[in-house]
Amino acid sequence: MRALCWNGVNDLAVETVPDPRLVNPHDVIVAVRLSTTCGSDLHFIDGYLPGMREGDVIGHEFMGEVLEVGGAVERIAVGDRVVVPSFIGCGACWYCGAQRYSACDTTNPNAAVQQPILGFPSGGIYGYTHPFGGYQGSHAEYIRVPFGDVNCFPIPESITDEQALFCSDALPTGLMGADFCDISPGDTVAIWGSGGVGLMAAHTSRLLGAGRVIVIDRVPERLELARRHAGADTIDYTSVDSVPATLREMTGGRGPDACIDAVGMEAHGTGVQHLYDRAKQLLRLETDRATALREAIMSCRKTGVVSVLGVYGVTDKFPMGVLTNKGLTLRTAQQSGQRDVSRMFEFITSGQLDPSYLITHDLPLSDAVAGYDIFKNDKSECVRAVFRP
């Protein structure tokens, strides 16, 4: 089959690789119909997350049609059109029983690699480094889905492929971030980043009762999407002296009730702090440019919530004293989309949300290298590039 492979830092290629096969009786083979880029992929493409190997197939956000099922699969049948959350759950461990599938105790075969770093390993994820399981990814014609009954979700006929695609990662991540905020009716939620996850966080914050959503970014086209689709107020951080000061002014001096970081370790910023972080990151003296995270902590009102969706490694100058003295609650996780699929389907079928507007580039898999170049370097035009095998 054809697949998009990682061959070194900033080196991607569409290559022919072996077709996936059933490994155990709970597996499902899915013929991928759509997969999409994700900002978290850029972290290992740029060399900031270790653990990729030459020839690894990348991609973790996808939907498709079931091609083959193992003998122990009961709920999923050949021919089903399904969406698959990006983190893999087993359905049987304590964490899956608590619907915290991204923390699954079973699905990361390389747990011993992660444990010294994290203390306890996370669940596995498709196409995202060997410390996260070494699974082959979704930018391919076919993909193996472990524990098919747990991780494959048949898509209602009224939902299009393009809408269902984002129920794999961008929408459940944004929804989780909004859930973390414990939104009360009328609350103000500020969101750093208007990529796919930030836009979904903005939209679902509205659906959960936020009275006001404020989105911070520097890309005019993305800020326009936030205004148009989520009814958000926006801040172009390059046009203000201070984002925290601007947010205080917009909220009567108190600050937002909750802040969501939907950016992560490669945040852009302005001023001396950004130059400091950029220099240390280029020299591999730290993994993170944590501009968005620091601003979210500084901006949030006292006793508010800071929800972190961005991917981080080792963050320098973390303002722990600010969290303590302001009485902030910090909440973060990798998304457990299995728990929220029915809710996401309801948002879409009821007409409250159509995530397909995230698609700005629709490309064949053969053009996936160009798609990632556009996604990484032309943010004024590209929110998400979608690949069709």
Side-chain angles (χ1 to χ4, degrees), residues 269-282:
T270 59
V272 174
Q273 182 67 62
H274 173 68
L275 295 176
Y276 169 89
D277 283 336
R278 181 65 175 152
K280 288 196 71 173
Q281 192 180 54
L282 287 171

PDB file of all heavy atoms in Angstrom, residues 269-282:
ATOM      1  N   GLY A 269       5.452  33.878  19.568  1.00  0.00           N
ATOM      2  CA  GLY A 269       5.165  34.987  20.474  1.00  0.00           C
ATOM      3  C   GLY A 269       5.910  36.229  20.040  1.00  0.00           C
ATOM      4  O   GLY A 269       6.444  36.302  18.932  1.00  0.00           O
ATOM      5  N   THR A 270       5.944  37.185  20.911  1.00  0.00           N
ATOM      6  CA  THR A 270       6.642  38.432  20.632  1.00  0.00           C
ATOM      7  C   THR A 270       7.526  38.777  21.826  1.00  0.00           C
ATOM      8  O   THR A 270       7.345  38.266  22.931  1.00  0.00           O
ATOM      9  CB  THR A 270       5.652  39.590  20.374  1.00  0.00           C
ATOM     10  OG1 THR A 270       4.811  39.745  21.536  1.00  0.00           O
ATOM     11  CG2 THR A 270       4.783  39.306  19.165  1.00  0.00           C
ATOM     12  N   GLY A 271       8.495  39.635  21.606  1.00  0.00           N
ATOM     13  CA  GLY A 271       9.294  40.162  22.706  1.00  0.00           C
ATOM     14  C   GLY A 271      10.450  39.276  23.115  1.00  0.00           C
ATOM     15  O   GLY A 271      10.757  38.248  22.506  1.00  0.00           O
ATOM     16  N   VAL A 272      11.102  39.681  24.202  1.00  0.00           N
ATOM     17  CA  VAL A 272      12.322  39.042  24.674  1.00  0.00           C
ATOM     18  C   VAL A 272      12.079  37.594  25.092  1.00  0.00           C
ATOM     19  O   VAL A 272      12.893  36.710  24.839  1.00  0.00           O
ATOM     20  CB  VAL A 272      12.925  39.848  25.842  1.00  0.00           C
ATOM     21  CG1 VAL A 272      14.120  39.105  26.445  1.00  0.00           C
ATOM     22  CG2 VAL A 272      13.339  41.231  25.371  1.00  0.00           C
ATOM     23  N   GLN A 273      10.951  37.327  25.764  1.00  0.00           N
ATOM     24  CA  GLN A 273      10.675  35.968  26.223  1.00  0.00           C
ATOM     25  C   GLN A 273      10.619  34.995  25.056  1.00  0.00           C
ATOM     26  O   GLN A 273      11.129  33.875  25.121  1.00  0.00           O
ATOM     27  CB  GLN A 273       9.363  35.916  27.001  1.00  0.00           C
ATOM     28  CG  GLN A 273       9.020  34.541  27.572  1.00  0.00           C
ATOM     29  CD  GLN A 273       9.975  34.094  28.660  1.00  0.00           C
ATOM     30  OE1 GLN A 273      10.079  34.724  29.696  1.00  0.00           O
ATOM     31  NE2 GLN A 273      10.690  33.006  28.416  1.00  0.00           N
ATOM     32  N   HIS A 274       9.976  35.397  23.943  1.00  0.00           N
ATOM     33  CA  HIS A 274       9.910  34.527  22.768  1.00  0.00           C
ATOM     34  C   HIS A 274      11.301  34.263  22.207  1.00  0.00           C
ATOM     35  O   HIS A 274      11.630  33.125  21.850  1.00  0.00           O
ATOM     36  CB  HIS A 274       9.016  35.150  21.692  1.00  0.00           C
ATOM     37  CG  HIS A 274       9.032  34.386  20.405  1.00  0.00           C
ATOM     38  ND1 HIS A 274       8.495  33.130  20.277  1.00  0.00           N
ATOM     39  CD2 HIS A 274       9.558  34.691  19.182  1.00  0.00           C
ATOM     40  CE1 HIS A 274       8.665  32.694  19.037  1.00  0.00           C
ATOM     41  NE2 HIS A 274       9.310  33.616  18.356  1.00  0.00           N
ATOM     42  N   LEU A 275      12.127  35.281  22.131  1.00  0.00           N
ATOM     43  CA  LEU A 275      13.487  35.102  21.618  1.00  0.00           C
ATOM     44  C   LEU A 275      14.283  34.155  22.509  1.00  0.00           C
ATOM     45  O   LEU A 275      15.048  33.316  22.020  1.00  0.00           O
ATOM     46  CB  LEU A 275      14.188  36.458  21.506  1.00  0.00           C
ATOM     47  CG  LEU A 275      13.590  37.447  20.491  1.00  0.00           C
ATOM     48  CD1 LEU A 275      14.321  38.775  20.563  1.00  0.00           C
ATOM     49  CD2 LEU A 275      13.639  36.871  19.077  1.00  0.00           C
ATOM     50  N   TYR A 276      14.100  34.278  23.822  1.00  0.00           N
ATOM     51  CA  TYR A 276      14.770  33.394  24.783  1.00  0.00           C
ATOM     52  C   TYR A 276      14.349  31.943  24.542  1.00  0.00           C
ATOM     53  O   TYR A 276      15.189  31.039  24.429  1.00  0.00           O
ATOM     54  CB  TYR A 276      14.424  33.848  26.197  1.00  0.00           C
ATOM     55  CG  TYR A 276      14.822  32.893  27.301  1.00  0.00           C
ATOM     56  CD1 TYR A 276      16.077  32.981  27.897  1.00  0.00           C
ATOM     57  CD2 TYR A 276      13.938  31.921  27.763  1.00  0.00           C
ATOM     58  CE1 TYR A 276      16.445  32.111  28.917  1.00  0.00           C
ATOM     59  CE2 TYR A 276      14.295  31.048  28.777  1.00  0.00           C
ATOM     60  CZ  TYR A 276      15.541  31.154  29.352  1.00  0.00           C
ATOM     61  OH  TYR A 276      15.891  30.282  30.364  1.00  0.00           O
ATOM     62  N   ASP A 277      13.042  31.714  24.473  1.00  0.00           N
ATOM     63  CA  ASP A 277      12.548  30.349  24.276  1.00  0.00           C
ATOM     64  C   ASP A 277      12.983  29.796  22.928  1.00  0.00           C
ATOM     65  O   ASP A 277      13.353  28.617  22.815  1.00  0.00           O
ATOM     66  CB  ASP A 277      11.016  30.326  24.363  1.00  0.00           C
ATOM     67  CG  ASP A 277      10.512  30.412  25.786  1.00  0.00           C
ATOM     68  OD1 ASP A 277      11.250  30.040  26.707  1.00  0.00           O
ATOM     69  OD2 ASP A 277       9.367  30.844  25.974  1.00  0.00           O
ATOM     70  N   ARG A 278      12.924  30.622  21.901  1.00  0.00           N
ATOM     71  CA  ARG A 278      13.291  30.173  20.565  1.00  0.00           C
ATOM     72  C   ARG A 278      14.766  29.759  20.511  1.00  0.00           C
ATOM     73  O   ARG A 278      15.112  28.712  19.953  1.00  0.00           O
ATOM     74  CB  ARG A 278      13.024  31.294  19.554  1.00  0.00           C
ATOM     75  CG  ARG A 278      13.345  30.939  18.096  1.00  0.00           C
ATOM     76  CD  ARG A 278      12.430  29.845  17.604  1.00  0.00           C
ATOM     77  NE  ARG A 278      12.630  29.579  16.195  1.00  0.00           N
ATOM     78  CZ  ARG A 278      12.411  28.398  15.634  1.00  0.00           C
ATOM     79  NH1 ARG A 278      11.977  27.384  16.362  1.00  0.00           N
ATOM     80  NH2 ARG A 278      12.598  28.206  14.346  1.00  0.00           N
ATOM     81  N   ALA A 279      15.623  30.539  21.129  1.00  0.00           N
ATOM     82  CA  ALA A 279      17.047  30.217  21.130  1.00  0.00           C
ATOM     83  C   ALA A 279      17.318  28.911  21.878  1.00  0.00           C
ATOM     84  O   ALA A 279      18.067  28.050  21.398  1.00  0.00           O
ATOM     85  CB  ALA A 279      17.841  31.359  21.760  1.00  0.00           C
ATOM     86  N   LYS A 280      16.701  28.740  23.057  1.00  0.00           N
ATOM     87  CA  LYS A 280      16.933  27.524  23.832  1.00  0.00           C
ATOM     88  C   LYS A 280      16.368  26.299  23.115  1.00  0.00           C
ATOM     89  O   LYS A 280      16.954  25.208  23.164  1.00  0.00           O
ATOM     90  CB  LYS A 280      16.309  27.648  25.222  1.00  0.00           C
ATOM     91  CG  LYS A 280      17.050  28.602  26.150  1.00  0.00           C
ATOM     92  CD  LYS A 280      16.658  28.412  27.604  1.00  0.00           C
ATOM     93  CE  LYS A 280      17.196  27.118  28.166  1.00  0.00           C
ATOM     94  NZ  LYS A 280      16.952  27.005  29.622  1.00  0.00           N
ATOM     95  N   GLN A 281      15.240  26.477  22.422  1.00  0.00           N
ATOM     96  CA  GLN A 281      14.668  25.344  21.711  1.00  0.00           C
ATOM     97  C   GLN A 281      15.525  24.946  20.517  1.00  0.00           C
ATOM     98  O   GLN A 281      15.766  23.758  20.270  1.00  0.00           O
ATOM     99  CB  GLN A 281      13.243  25.684  21.253  1.00  0.00           C
ATOM    100  CG  GLN A 281      12.471  24.467  20.756  1.00  0.00           C
ATOM    101  CD  GLN A 281      11.075  24.840  20.312  1.00  0.00           C
ATOM    102  OE1 GLN A 281      10.902  25.727  19.490  1.00  0.00           O
ATOM    103  NE2 GLN A 281      10.076  24.158  20.842  1.00  0.00           N
ATOM    104  N   LEU A 282      16.040  25.921  19.781  1.00  0.00           N
ATOM    105  CA  LEU A 282      16.896  25.624  18.637  1.00  0.00           C
ATOM    106  C   LEU A 282      18.170  24.902  19.072  1.00  0.00           C
ATOM    107  O   LEU A 282      18.694  24.046  18.353  1.00  0.00           O
ATOM    108  CB  LEU A 282      17.249  26.908  17.886  1.00  0.00           C
ATOM    109  CG  LEU A 282      16.122  27.526  17.064  1.00  0.00           C
ATOM    110  CD1 LEU A 282      16.528  28.901  16.545  1.00  0.00           C
ATOM    111  CD2 LEU A 282      15.735  26.617  15.896  1.00  0.00           C
TER     112      LEU A 282
END
